[in-house]
Amino acid sequence: MAGVEVEKGKHVQELVENGIDLPNNYIWESANFGIINASVPLGDIPVIDISQLTESKQLDQLQSALGSWGCFQAINHGIENSLVDEIRRVAKEFFQLPMIEKQKYARKTGEYYGYGNDMIIFQNQTLDWNDRLYLSIIPVEERKFQYWPQNPESFRRILHEYSARIQQTEKQLLKAMARSLCLEEDCFLKKLGERRLIDARFNFYPPCPRPDLALGIKPHADGSAITFLLQDKEVEGLQVMKDDRWFHVPIIPYALLVIVGDQMEIMTNGIFKSPVHTALANSKKERHTLVIFCTPEPGKEIEPVGELINDKRPRLYKAVRNYMDTYFNFYQQAKRPIDAAKF
Ligand SMILES: O=C(O)CCC(=O)C(=O)O
Ligand SMILES: [Fe+2]
C-alpha cells in the first residue's frame, strides 16, 4: 500500500474548528450505492448470544445471519461493560486533545498507521467526514508504539486489555463460523495463519455542517476476514445494505457488531456475505466508533474452502494474495471491492 497516497489533507476537526463551510471535496453528487438518505428503515439485524455458540440452535442462527445480513449484534461477547466504557472514554479523551498533541502520533503520507484522516488516493476523491487513529494491536511484538498515545495516560493499558479480549473472541468466533458450515473447526484459523493481524481503528466523526451532502464514511465492504465494530453508545449513523436496500443499524450499547469481511466471503465461496455499509454524518452530535479488523497473515493466499465448492455451488473466487493491495483500486467505484477476486 505504501506510496499510493497522492496528497494529505486537513483533519476534519481542523475544518470544524476553523468554522469553514463544507469543502467541495467532501460533497457527494450521489453516493455509488445510492444517494445519502437519513430516513431508511431500521434493520432487523440478528442479535446472537455468542457465549452459547456450542448449541446447534445458535450455530444455525449464526449461519443464517452471516448468509443474509453478513453481520449480527454479538452479546455476551466476554468483554465486560466496564472495559467497554473505559475504551470509549480514552478514545474520546484522545480526540479531545489539542491538535499539536495528537500530531505526535500523525500518520505519515502513504502509510496506514497513526492519527490521520481519509487517505487521498485519487485526484478527485470524495473524502470521508472522519478523523481516525489506526493502530496495529496483534501480534503484540509487531505493535508500532510510536503511534500508541501516551495521553490519556491509561490509553495503552486499556487498549492492551481490550486487544487480549478481542483476540479470544476472534478465535472463538472463527471456530463457530466453521462449525456452523459443518467444517473442521480450525479450518478458517489455519487459512488465515498463525501470524494473522488484528488492527484497531478509532473513528471520530465531528459534527458536520451539511450531513445531507457529506458522508462519515463512504460505502464500502471491509477487506478484513471479520470486523468487530463497537458503535457509539448514543449516536446512530451506521447503515448496512441488504438485498440492494439500506437499513439503519440499531444501537445496542454494549454489543459488538460482527461484520463479515471480504476474506471470509472468499473462504466461504460466497456463502457468508461481506456487506456494503456506510456511516452518515450528523449536524449536531459528534460520534465515536471503534473498529477492529481481523485480517490474514501477510502474504497468505486466501481461497474458497474445498468442501464449499460443488456442483451446485461452483467456485466463485480466485485465490488472492495480499488482497488489500487491490482493495483501494476499487474503493470508490460503483462495485464491491471483492469483485476483484471473482472469476
Ligand atoms: O463507524 C462506523 O460506524 C463504520 C466504520 C467502518 O465501517 C469502518 O471503519 O470500516
Ligand atoms: Fe467498514
Side-chain angles (χ1 to χ4, degrees), residues 28 31 36-38 127-130 201 203-205 208 211 213-220 229 231 235-241 246-249 276-282 287-289 291:
W28 287 89
I36 299 172
N37 184 357
L127 297 181
D128 293 341
W129 189 260
N130 144 308
R201 177 173 151 156
N203 286 313
F204 170 44
Y205 303 91
C208 175
L213 297 179
L215 279 170
I217 203 165
K218 58 178 78 61
H220 67 283
L229 169 53
Q231 288 208 76
V235 185
E236 279 184 354
L238 183 64
Q239 296 189 347
V240 67
M241 188 176 260
W246 285 115
F247 294 90
H248 274 301
V249 178
V276 172
H277 51 284
T278 187
L280 302 188
N282 188 302
R287 178 169 178 264
H288 293 263
T289 63
V291 189

Side-chain angles (χ1 to χ4, degrees), residues 206-328:
C208 175
R210 293 297 303 270
D212 54 327
L213 297 179
L215 279 170
I217 203 165
K218 58 178 78 61
H220 67 283
D222 291 345
S224 58
I226 51 173
T227 300
F228 294 96
L229 169 53
L230 178 66
Q231 288 208 76
D232 194 288
K233 202 172 164 182
E234 286 153 9
V235 185
E236 279 184 354
L238 183 64
Q239 296 189 347
V240 67
M241 188 176 260
K242 178 173 184 276
D243 303 327
D244 296 327
R245 289 174 56 207
W246 285 115
F247 294 90
H248 274 301
V249 178
I251 294 177
I252 304 182
Y254 291 95
L256 287 175
L257 184 77
V258 177
I259 307 176
V260 171
D262 292 345
Q263 316 282 340
M264 181 58 75
E265 178 165 329
I266 294 173
M267 290 192 293
T268 61
N269 198 24
I271 296 177
F272 291 167
K273 306 282 187 297
S274 162
V276 172
H277 51 284
T278 187
L280 302 188
N282 188 302
S283 65
K284 296 197 180 63
K285 295 179 186 157
E286 61 179 51
R287 178 169 178 264
H288 293 263
T289 63
L290 168 55
V291 189
I292 302 281
F293 298 111
C294 307
T295 63
E297 184 178 310
K300 263 272 189 197
E301 201 170 63
I302 298 297
E303 62 179 337
V305 175
E307 288 95 314
L308 302 177
I309 303 171
N310 52 46
D311 292 346
K312 286 207 196 99
R313 176 171 281 278
R315 182 179 171 132
L316 268 186
Y317 300 101
K318 317 189 259 263
V320 185
R321 202 189 295 274
N322 289 335
Y323 178 63
M324 288 302 281
D325 284 354
T326 59
Y327 188 68
F328 279 95

Side-chain angles (χ1 to χ4, degrees), residues 35 110 145:
I35 50 161
F145 279 115

